[in-house]
């Protein structure tokens, strides 16, 4: 059974690359049982969004990199 | 007002945001200001080549991005960075978890409320700023490249010459530190 610390690793990873099926499954299972980790997951997503807003105000989805 | 004057005015207005953006990556105020200076100069020089597809500010940020990457390469070449592989002080993270991998009671994440509401308060951004400054340098650099600049971890690895796995580890720790710091600084006062 995956513990919270390991779950946060997957939550973080999820912001950087798509999770594998196995990873998704075990994360979802853990989140379904753990309220604290559900909050952490929201917080990581909020950090991701905050990062985007910190720079140029991206209006649409991704990534106008000024080329 | 001519178009040129209008753009100069917009440059001046966006400058503080450019500086704090550069500062997050470079961790050195005078280098951050230099990079912004260069980006602003080249925005003025290349004024004609702004195609107007994106917003003007976004375009300037795009120029700044390359100046920051250049400056980072110089920093790295001059040995101003701690080795990236070396950041194994897990303390701040371990403090959030018990031995068995569950959250420490004192570190359990609380509800932050709606992101949009947070983003609209000046206070949230002050705390975010302070917590970014408080991160260890390398964690802040990698986090900034990923989340502020929006590079992929693959690109970051190439840029910094580290393994992707390493990058994910650094990002995981950076996020855990940030969330703990923001929760302390922001929530506590929101509810006070």
């Amino acid at each position: 059974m995956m513990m919270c610390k390991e779950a946060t690793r997957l939550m973080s990873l999820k912001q950087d690359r798509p999770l594998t099926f196995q990873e998704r499954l075990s994360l979802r299972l853990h989140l379904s049982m753990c309220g604290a980790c559900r909050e952490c997951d929201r917080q990581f997503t909020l950090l991701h969004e905050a990062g985007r807003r910190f720079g140029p105000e991206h209006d649409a989805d991704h990534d106008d990199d000024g080329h | 007002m001519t178009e040129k004057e209008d753009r100069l005015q917009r440059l001046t207005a966006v400058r503080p945001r450019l500086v704090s953006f550069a500062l997050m990556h470079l961790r050195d105020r005078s280098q951050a200001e230099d990079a912004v200076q260069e980006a602003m100069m080249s925005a003025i020089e290349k004024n004609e080549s702004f195609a107007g597809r994106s917003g003007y500010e976004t375009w300037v940020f795009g120029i700044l991005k390359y100046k920051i990457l250049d400056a980072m390469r110089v920093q790295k070449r001059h040995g101003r960075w701690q080795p990236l592989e070396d950041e194994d002080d897990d303390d701040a993270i371990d403090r959030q978890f018990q031995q068995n991998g569950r959250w420490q009671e004192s570190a359990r994440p609380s509800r932050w409320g709606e992101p949009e509401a947070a983003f609209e308060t000046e206070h949230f951004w002050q705390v975010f700023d302070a917590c970014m400054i408080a991160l260890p340098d390398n964690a802040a650099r990698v986090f900034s490249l990923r989340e502020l600049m929006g590079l992929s971890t693959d690109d970051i690895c190439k840029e910094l010459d580290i393994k992707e796995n390493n990058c994910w580890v650094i990002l995981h720790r950076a996020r855990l530190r940030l969330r703990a710091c923001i929760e302390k600084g922001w929530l506590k006062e929101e509810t006070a």
Side-chain angles (χ1 to χ4, degrees), chain B residues 23-41:
Chain B
L23 184 61
M24 297 305 172
H25 293 82
L26 295 171
R27 312 290 288 174
D28 178 300
R29 181 158 289 275
S30 74
Q31 287 183 25
E33 282 177 0
D34 287 351
V36 170
Q37 193 66 24
E38 281 180 39
M40 287 172 73
M41 298 296 281

Side-chain angles (χ1 to χ4, degrees), chain B:
Chain B
M1 192 173 2
T2 67
E3 185 186 74
K4 208 162 184 186
E5 284 166 21
D6 172 56
R7 290 201 181 149
L8 274 178
Q9 215 167 62
R10 288 169 74 174
L11 267 184
T12 321
V14 78
R15 187 176 178 280
R17 280 179 54 212
L18 295 171
V19 172
S20 53
F21 183 84
L23 184 61
M24 297 305 172
H25 293 82
L26 295 171
R27 312 290 288 174
D28 178 300
R29 181 158 289 275
S30 74
Q31 287 183 25
E33 282 177 0
D34 287 351
V36 170
Q37 193 66 24
E38 281 180 39
M40 287 172 73
M41 298 296 281
S42 94
I44 292 164
E45 275 164 29
K46 294 196 290 189
N47 189 38
E48 301 303 316
S49 69
F50 170 61
R53 275 192 304 271
S54 53
Y56 181 65
E57 284 78 6
T58 307
W59 180 70
V60 179
F61 264 100
I63 296 173
L64 177 61
K65 177 171 145 179
Y66 292 99
K67 302 291 179 196
I68 290 173
L69 290 174
D70 285 343
M72 281 181 131
R73 284 180 206 121
V74 173
Q75 282 186 337
K76 207 158 176 261
R77 217 176 26 243
H78 289 181
R80 300 205 25 193
W81 289 23
Q82 299 287 324
L84 278 148
E85 294 75 14
D86 229 39
E87 218 139 279
D88 53 10
D89 100 88
D90 261 329
D91 272 15
I93 307 330
D94 286 336
R95 248 180 280 139
Q96 294 189 42
F97 297 97
Q98 305 172 34
Q99 207 78 53
N100 64 12
R102 291 176 203 267
W103 292 99
Q104 290 284 6
E105 215 37 61
S106 57
R108 280 174 71 86
S110 321
R111 168 125 344 161
W112 286 5
E114 288 308 310
E116 286 311 317
F119 296 152
E120 271 168 30
T121 68
E122 190 61 30
H123 184 50
F124 173 82
W125 292 108
Q126 284 165 359
V127 173
F128 183 81
D129 221 78
C131 290
M132 284 293 292
I133 302 282
L135 279 183
D137 285 346
N138 282 339
R141 287 179 181 120
V142 175
F143 181 85
S144 298
L145 289 171
R146 174 72 195 101
E147 299 286 43
L148 273 49
M149 212 180 262
L151 297 190
S152 67
T153 47
D154 188 43
D155 287 338
I156 295 172
C157 297
K158 284 182 196 134
E159 196 60 51
L160 304 183
D161 194 24
I162 52 176
K163 299 231 164 56
E164 200 166 23
N165 196 44
N166 212 300
C167 204
W168 288 324
V169 171
I170 295 172
L171 285 167
H172 178 210
R173 290 179 192 163
R175 289 183 176 116
L176 281 172
R177 277 180 195 263
L178 268 180
R179 68 143 294 272
C181 177
I182 290 177
E183 187 154 314
K184 233 180 255 155
W186 183 53
L187 260 201
K188 300 283 141 68
E189 274 186 45
E190 284 295 287
T191 51

